[in-house]
Amino acid sequence: MQQSDLDAWHMARAIELARQGQGRVEPNPMVGCVIAHGAEIVGEGWHRRFGGPHAEIEALTIARDRAAGATLYVTLEPCCHQGKTPPCARAVIAAGVRRVVMAMSDPYPKVAGGGLMALIEAGIEVVVGAGEEAARELNAPYLHRVETGKPWVIAKWAMSLDGKLATRTGDSRWISNEASRRLVHELRGRVDAILVGRGTAVADDPLLTARPAGPRVATRVVLDSRAQLASESQLVRTAHELPVLVAVSPDAPSSDVERLVAKGCEVFRCDGDTRVERMESLLRELGRREMTNVLFEGGAQVLGTLVDARLVDEVQVYVAPKIVGGAAAPATVAGLGVEAIAQSLMLVNPVVRDVAGDLFFSARVARLK
């Protein structure tokens, strides 16, 4: 097997390992590592939880003295700073690794080439770029947050075949089937926040929790410009148990803000006069809190704002084999919309599969180069 094929083979395994940390390591990136002599793997590991050992340390612990003279494959540049764990680059050097193959550099300011230079200065051969496309796709939410300061926004909705969220009377339970709803709960259990508009909070009175619980507990975020969320709602009644953040406009009445705070909610006053400006303000705040993945769950007007402002990064849609009909029945995306088809939000890398009769569609939003 040629060296390039061997590198690709081991890196594919490292990326497979890294994926196991999804939902457990954020705000850190998912990272996998393989240590090998030729085709023989002598150690492997992945970042299992935030604050725990990084992938390189896990793999070095397994390899022990067999790491000397080996090639280390890692999906992201080894860290070179003291954080919750010691620098991985230093451990790689101390282990006597001869060669390091990394999929990509880490844009995080405290790394950003520092780990790469530390390895080179120690006389280690370094190869960058093997499996880079797959590594970037894996850690797209992390990279997006580091580079933009805002979390990765996943827009999720369930609709009928004719694009309706509910009937003309507002009935929406249940458009999607039970198997689809289980997948949604799995997704809820690995994101940092779940975002809905006040209209959805009133119409559905949701809890917005993962059942069963996942590895993360999402902050439940309600866009409520006038701070009118009812004290009797399930969200407010459970705010002392699970976090609720109510995003309000700058001129929201102080009396209602104080009422929500007294009930256990946190209130964030968004900057901006328009819906788009306030949404940008909220997402910047969630990014400042190091939230990596935010799940949007409704309704149509808020989704329209996100789409108009090009703030959606990924879509996950469940299409039920049902036709609702009715001009007054709510459709999925409101907002202003585009004037020409050429201005449409373009999606790439679509995945389509059957979920017990529902059609599941997911894709990422194309970014301009």
Side-chain angles (χ1 to χ4, degrees):
M1 184 183 293
Q2 293 185 350
Q3 187 63 59
S4 59
D5 294 333
L6 197 60
D7 288 351
W9 184 57
H10 285 312
M11 188 60 75
R13 172 58 179 165
I15 290 171
E16 179 185 355
L17 291 167
R19 199 177 303 278
Q20 297 182 66
Q22 189 175 50
R24 294 173 168 81
V25 302
E26 292 85 355
N28 284 354
M30 293 173 275
V31 181
C33 180
V34 169
I35 301 173
H37 288 277
E40 182 189 8
I41 294 176
V42 297
E44 61 180 29
W46 69 93
H47 189 26
R48 295 172 183 265
R49 61 178 179 82
F50 178 67
H54 288 185
E56 299 95 320
I57 304 305
E58 290 253 338
L60 288 169
T61 300
I62 293 172
R64 303 177 67 177
D65 57 355
R66 297 201 67 191
T71 296
L72 182 145
Y73 298 86
V74 64
T75 57
L76 191 68
E77 178 182 3
C79 64
C80 55
H81 65 290
Q82 178 69 48
K84 289 189 175 292
T85 59
C88 290
R90 186 187 303 167
V92 172
I93 294 166
V97 168
R98 178 185 64 84
R99 180 171 177 263
V100 171
V101 179
M102 65 177 72
M104 60 176 293
S105 60
D106 187 348
Y108 184 63
K110 291 184 178 180
V111 184
L116 170 65
M117 291 307 301
L119 297 174
I120 292 174
E121 289 170 1
I124 295 174
E125 178 189 350
V126 180
V127 177
V128 182
E132 181 174 1
E133 184 177 352
R136 284 190 174 277
E137 182 178 349
L138 174 70
N139 273 316
Y142 164 78
L143 297 172
H144 178 77
R145 180 177 58 78
V146 171
E147 292 165 0
T148 70
K150 293 180 287 192
W152 182 265
V153 176
I154 305 167
K156 185 280 303 178
W157 67 88
M159 67 181 188
S160 62
L161 186 60
D162 55 335
K164 303 297 186 180
L165 295 173
T167 69
R168 58 184 172 80
T169 65
D171 180 39
S172 63
R173 294 189 178 180
W174 295 102
I175 287 181
S176 59
N177 63 33
E178 186 176 349
S180 294
R181 297 197 296 276
R182 281 199 299 269
L183 291 178
V184 172
H185 280 279
E186 288 179 14
L187 178 58
R188 285 181 177 181
R190 65 170 180 83
V191 299
D192 297 295
I194 301 170
L195 173 66
V196 297
R198 179 176 173 270
T200 296
V202 171
D204 297 345
D205 192 22
L207 272 173
L208 300 180
T209 55
R211 300 183 293 277
R216 307 188 79 74
V217 176
T219 296
R220 299 165 299 166
V221 182
V222 182
L223 286 165
D224 182 11
S225 60
R226 303 298 296 168
Q228 297 297 297
L229 189 62
S231 298
E232 297 75 26
S233 67
Q234 291 198 92
L235 288 168
V236 175
R237 287 192 288 109
T238 58
H240 284 294
E241 303 162 24
L242 297 167
V244 173
L245 176 67
V246 183
V248 304
S249 63
D251 58 353
S254 296
S255 58
D256 282 303
V257 168
E258 292 167 2
R259 170 183 61 83
L260 290 171
V261 170
K263 294 290 185 179
C265 300
E266 181 183 1
V267 175
F268 174 69
R269 287 189 183 270
C270 301
D271 293 327
D273 298 325
T274 67
R275 286 174 174 168
V276 169
E277 289 172 341
R278 292 194 292 272
M279 183 68 76
E280 287 267 12
S281 174
L282 172 61
L283 291 179
R284 286 195 300 271
E285 174 63 17
L286 298 183
R288 187 190 66 79
R289 299 181 185 206
E290 294 192 315
M291 293 188 179
T292 302
N293 292 285
V294 170
L295 173 63
F296 169 78
E297 289 212 25
Q301 186 59 59
V302 179
L303 180 55
T305 299
L306 286 165
V307 170
D308 286 345
R310 296 302 196 254
L311 293 173
V312 174
D313 301 293
E314 180 180 343
V315 298
Q316 295 195 12
V317 183
Y318 295 88
V319 183
K322 302 170 183 176
I323 295 176
V324 172
T332 55
V333 184
L336 182 62
V338 300
E339 294 181 353
I341 293 297
Q343 300 170 330
S344 301
L345 201 66
M346 296 300 296
L347 305 176
V348 295
N349 303 325
V351 174
V352 181
R353 71 174 191 266
D354 177 83
V355 181
D358 283 353
L359 185 68
F360 173 71
F361 173 91
S362 68
R364 291 182 172 181
V365 175
R367 295 301 178 198
L368 296 176
K369 299 294 186 182

